[in-house]
Amino acid sequence: MRILWGILLGGLIAGALDIVYAFIVYGPMSYGLTPQEVLQSVAAGWLGREASRAGGLDSAMLGIASHLLIATLMAAVYVVAAQRFRALTDKAILWGFIYGLVLYVAMNYVVAPLSAAGGDGHFATSLGEVSSRLRESFSDIRPHWDPRYPWLIPATIITHTLLVGVPIALMAKRFAPQSA
């Protein structure tokens, strides 16, 4: 039961911190997106950008559900791994920071480019298309560099480390099984 609490709280805390960051940074600090538009950009991974924008509140709800599910799955991976590798809880801040870097690369260079948001409204399905999208992804800076907001990429990396990876690691430590 402790492991389940670590997964759920780790996912919810990391997901909440990350989406609040997105609301602020992609809203008033840069592109002026509303929270609904930010959530629709998450749902675009399933629906494609145009369909997600047209989906209104329904696609925004799909976006928040997807975001929290992904964060909880990220927490599950770490918490389960921490059961086997004690260093992940012994040095939770260090390993949480490193895990956040891994998540940044995975989300920006693999998941997003292969999703419906990364192509012309559909998932990469053939091996050739997967290969092409990944090759393009790893040859570019992600998220795309915007000279109007040069702080955006470093801030996104910091967010994945300090607001996603570290809270997940701390919840894994907090809810690790008690030693006998």
Side-chain angles (χ1 to χ4, degrees), residues 78-79 82 85-101 160-176:
Y78 191 95
V79 171
F85 304 104
R86 187 171 173 165
L88 296 178
T89 54
D90 288 347
K91 297 185 183 218
I93 297 205
L94 170 66
W95 285 108
F97 188 89
I98 292 168
Y99 188 57
L101 290 174
H160 275 84
T161 55
L162 298 181
L163 299 182
V164 177
V166 170
I168 288 171
L170 291 175
M171 288 300 102
K173 180 176 183 159
R174 166 71 176 86
F175 290 100

Side-chain angles (χ1 to χ4, degrees), residues 111-132:
V111 174
L114 295 179
S115 75
D120 57 356
H122 71 280
F123 288 94
T125 53
S126 71
L127 186 56
E129 187 176 12
V130 167
S131 175
S132 173

Side-chain angles (χ1 to χ4, degrees), residues 100-120:
L101 290 174
V102 170
L103 294 175
Y104 170 82
V105 170
M107 292 305 296
N108 285 282
Y109 288 88
V110 179
V111 174
L114 295 179
S115 75
D120 57 356

Side-chain angles (χ1 to χ4, degrees), residues 59-84:
S59 62
M61 292 298 102
L62 174 61
I64 191 64
S66 299
H67 180 77
L68 293 174
L69 175 63
I70 290 167
T72 302
L73 291 172
M74 292 171 171
V77 168
Y78 191 95
V79 171
V80 169
Q83 303 308 300
R84 180 152 167 84

